[in-house]
């Protein structure tokens, strides 16, 4: 019976163009867009910067060369100071550095950094930091004791170092896989609702089959589709977008299985709420999007305020993404490192199944 | 008479409301038994209990000797259900639908193929077996709905309003199929609120109203019962502009000669022994008669006689 039920639901899913779009095609589009937005190839495009210095000013030329040498900036030499300012205003460059011939910060004659005060921190931070350091060195000379590293960045205990180049796709692939992966819950819940609406559920209940077997037979196809969905999205991520799996593939598989189990169980809980297909489709979609947003599927939790980072752990998406980030980005991450995520996801799954069981009268009503 | 279906004090409550009170009924093996009643009479709840979909609140039901609660699987295996809804998968072909429904009853391999071919033949869909069901007419879908309930060759076939929304050709096909199945020994429980269908098809009928069986027997027995063998149904169409008060007075006057019901400006009285007395009573109430029709009592008249309201009122 189970095999026939799985075949039936898989056939129904495959022939449902809307479901195929939302489960497979849409996430691929989102991955391509989000991955590109967040730095697709892992190498950030240099920020365009204009520099003006007085003709023949050797210090000004050295400053321009030093900025060029960082690799962070595409430095353009401006013919006049005003032209440099106009270029910023016109958006041709993100900032302009104007180096006066009589540069002397101690005497109140600093260089001028022209930048839109409303520019994003991702632009302002590097530009201001680099300009400050390079101009200070040119004007004031090297620091006492020479160029030594005063501060060295190290990972905290128990946290592995990340890959040297983390591309946007290392975040976009798992983010969208989790976001759209949880939409299997909606497909699953809608399938229950459709069976009830059409009367086929009454026909199933009238068959000589245990109720729990009917429920399992409804859930297993969505478990399978969820696993295929993750395999496909990660596969395309690796093949088309250069996604790297820095950690253990076994840990990745464990996370995928736990996530899909959790999503399918959520489908059971949603189905037990009843309601029409329209209600479930509308409210369910909104809930899943909010859960994805809070859990960091669209914007990484790491850049959220501290409170929101904690709120993100109230939804399974947050735990899943924590685990996926470690496996994809931190070399050497194994099963032992991702067990908190796996356990949390299975805990959520248990809670969802329990909720569905408590409301099983509604679920099993003809 | 060997009863294939036995109901003893079978009832179902939803909260404080008794959807079905306490039914006692036997359906003999090989007969077509009709459950007639208006919408909301409790027919669907009754067959849902028989099919094992809804748990009874009291009493019990046995199919082929198997209690639907304590021997649920055996009872369900002996029962085929054709729900009122088109309980089939539109996106699948008839063959794929029957593959799935057959598997639910443990059919597989050559047995499933053989039953599938038979059920598709019975439904007249053998040449359309691999086309998407969503392209079918309502009548064809009804026939597939029937085939899905027949596939495992149940001893009891329960049909819940199987002709709702079908064209005359498909209705005839369904009727012919039911008669052929009975000829093969299958027992059929047929629910409908169409009096004509039940009268044309069923050997015996139970009339349900308000969750109770108000009368049951063969159709001749029912017609000869409260309605009276020679009783007539009189339909009187009132003339002129008549107010509700005047119609109410005419109805009350007519009610002295039988169960009287009103449908707009038409009064329906049954059973009527003397047409002249009814005419005199109505005209005596100060209302003119525009037209008068009489016909022999039918199940509709029997229903009216037992419940005081028309089948169509449901």
């Amino acid at each position: 019976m189970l095999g026939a039920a799985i075949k039936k639901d898989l056939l129904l899913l495959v022939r449902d163009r809307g479901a195929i779009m939302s489960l497979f095609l849409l996430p691929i589009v989102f991955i391509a867009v989000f991955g590109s937005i967040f730095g697709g190839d892992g190498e950030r495009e240099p920020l365009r910067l204009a520099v003006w210095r007085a003709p023949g000013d050797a210090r000004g030329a050295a400053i321009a060369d030093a900025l060029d040498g960082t690799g962070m900036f595409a430095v353009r030499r401006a013919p006049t100071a005003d032209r440099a300012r106009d270029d910023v205003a016109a958006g041709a460059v993100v900032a302009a550095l104007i180096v006066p011939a009589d540069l002397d910060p101690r005497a109140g004659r600093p260089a001028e950094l022209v930048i839109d005060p409303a520019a994003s921190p991702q632009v302002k931070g590097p530009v201001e930091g680099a300009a400050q350091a390079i101009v200070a060195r040119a004007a004031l000379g090297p620091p006492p004791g020479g160029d030594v590293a005063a501060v060295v960045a190290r990972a905290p205990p128990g946290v592995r170092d990340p890959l040297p180049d983390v591309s946007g796709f290392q975040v976009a692939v798992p983010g969208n896989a989790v976001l759209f992966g949880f939409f299997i819950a909606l497909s699953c819940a809608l399938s229950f609702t459709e069976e009830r609406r059409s009367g086929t559920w009454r026909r199933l209940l009238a068959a000589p089959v245990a109720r729990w077997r009917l429920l399992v037979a409804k859930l297993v196809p969505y478990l399978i589709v969820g696993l295929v969905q993750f395999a496909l999205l990660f596969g395309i991520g690796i093949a088309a977008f250069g996604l790297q799996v820095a950690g253990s593939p076994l840990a990745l598989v464990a996370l995928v299985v736990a996530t899909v189990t959790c999503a399918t169980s959520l489908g059971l809980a949603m189905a037990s709420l009843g309601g029409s297909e329209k209600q479930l489709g509308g409210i369910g979609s909104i809930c899943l999007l909010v859960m994805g947003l809070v859990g960091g599927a669209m914007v990484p939790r790491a850049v959220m305020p501290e409170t929101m980072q904690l709120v993100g752990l109230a939804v399974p998406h947050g735990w899943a993404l924590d685990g996926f980030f470690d496996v994809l980005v931190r070399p050497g991450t194994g099963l032992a490192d991702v067990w908190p995520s796996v356990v949390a996801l299975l805990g959520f799954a248990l809670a969802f199944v329990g909720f569905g069981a408590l409301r099983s009268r509604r679920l099993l009503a003809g | 008479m060997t009863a294939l279906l036995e109901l003893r004090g079978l009832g179902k409550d939803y909260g404080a409301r008794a959807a079905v009170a306490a039914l006692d009924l036997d359906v003999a093996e090989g007969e077509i038994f009709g459950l007639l009643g208006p919408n909301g009479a409790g027919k669907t709840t009754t067959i849902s209990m028989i099919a094992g979909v809804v748990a009874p609140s009291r009493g019990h039901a046995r199919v082929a000797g198997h209690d639907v609660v304590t021997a649920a699987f055996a009872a369900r295996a002996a029962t085929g259900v054709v729900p009122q809804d088109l309980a089939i998968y539109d996106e699948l072909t008839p063959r794929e639908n029957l593959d799935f429904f057959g598997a639910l009853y443990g059919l597989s391999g050559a047995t499933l193929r053989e039953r599938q071919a038979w059920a598709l033949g019975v439904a007249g869909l053998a040449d359309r077996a691999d086309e998407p069901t969503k392209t079918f007419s309502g009548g064809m879908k009804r026939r597939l709905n029937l085939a899905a309930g027949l596939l495992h060759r149940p001893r009891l076939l329960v049909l819940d309003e199987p002709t709702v929304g079908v064209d005359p050709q498909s209705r005839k096909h369904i009727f012919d199929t039911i008669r052929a199945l009975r000829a093969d020994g299958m027992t059929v429980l047929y629910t409908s609120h169409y009096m004509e269908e039940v009268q044309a098809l069923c050997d015996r009928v139970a009339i349900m109203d308000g969750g109770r069986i108000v009368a049951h027997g063969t159709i001749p027995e029912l017609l000869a019962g409260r309605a009276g063998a020679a009783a007539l149904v009189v339909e009187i169409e009132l003339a002129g502009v008549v107010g509700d008060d005047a119609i109410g007075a005419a109805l009350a006057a007519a009610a002295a000669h039988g169960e009287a019901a009103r449908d707009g400006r038409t009064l329906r009285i049954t059973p009527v022994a003397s047409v002249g007395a009814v005419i005199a009573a109505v005209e005596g109430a100060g209302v003119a008669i525009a037209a008068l029709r009489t016909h022999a009592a039918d199940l509709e008249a029997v229903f009216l006689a037992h419940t005081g309201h028309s089948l169509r009122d449901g």
Side-chain angles (χ1 to χ4, degrees), chain A residues 1 4-5 7-8 11-12 15 195-211 214 364-366, chain B residues 44 48 51-53 73 76-77 81-83 85-89 91-93 96 99-101 103-105 145 148-149:
Chain A
M1 193 284 285
K7 182 183 169 193
K8 180 262 293 179
L11 281 173
L12 290 175
R15 290 172 192 175
E195 296 254 24
R196 278 204 295 260
R197 186 196 59 74
S198 70
T200 48
W201 191 241
R202 287 175 67 83
R203 185 160 244 162
L204 302 193
L205 293 176
V209 177
R211 305 294 204 243
L214 290 178
L364 293 171
Chain B
T44 298
S48 295
V53 174
F73 285 7
R76 286 186 220 161
V81 180
V82 180
D85 298 313
L86 288 170
I88 47 176
Y89 299 100
E91 295 296 326
L92 303 184
T93 65
E96 288 166 344
D99 271 350
F100 172 62
F101 290 122
L104 284 177
Y105 287 85
N145 200 33

Side-chain angles (χ1 to χ4, degrees), chain A residues 136-324:
Chain A
R137 185 184 169 86
L140 309 173
D147 287 324
V148 292
V151 176
V152 176
R154 294 218 192 286
V159 175
R160 297 173 189 278
D161 283 324
L163 293 167
D165 292 319
V166 178
S167 82
F169 292 110
Q170 297 292 113
V171 176
V173 172
N176 286 288
V178 168
L179 177 67
F180 288 96
F182 268 88
F183 270 82
I184 203 77
L186 188 58
S187 295
C188 178
L190 283 172
S191 154
F192 272 103
T193 311
E194 165 62 17
E195 296 254 24
R196 278 204 295 260
R197 186 196 59 74
S198 70
T200 48
W201 191 241
R202 287 175 67 83
R203 185 160 244 162
L204 302 193
L205 293 176
V209 177
R211 305 294 204 243
W212 68 266
R213 288 187 70 197
L214 290 178
L215 287 180
V216 170
K218 280 299 297 174
L219 295 178
V220 169
Y222 291 91
L223 202 66
I224 293 171
V225 172
L227 292 173
V228 170
Q229 182 194 27
F230 267 84
L232 186 80
L233 294 181
F234 278 107
I236 288 177
I238 291 166
F241 301 119
L243 178 75
Q244 298 180 67
V245 181
S248 139
L250 188 64
L252 181 65
V253 168
L255 275 167
V256 167
V257 171
T259 305
V260 174
T261 304
C262 185
T264 311
S265 307
L266 177 60
L268 183 72
M270 286 167 75
S272 74
L273 293 172
S276 68
E277 285 164 284
K278 208 169 178 180
Q279 288 169 325
L280 195 60
I283 297 170
S285 300
I286 292 168
C287 286
L288 289 169
L289 283 172
V290 170
M291 287 169 85
L293 187 61
V294 168
M298 293 179 231
V299 178
R301 276 174 50 244
V303 302
M304 292 182 188
E306 201 173 339
T307 310
M308 285 309 295
Q309 290 195 27
L310 284 173
V311 172
L313 293 178
V315 294
H317 301 59
W319 290 95
L321 286 166
D322 278 2
F324 282 123

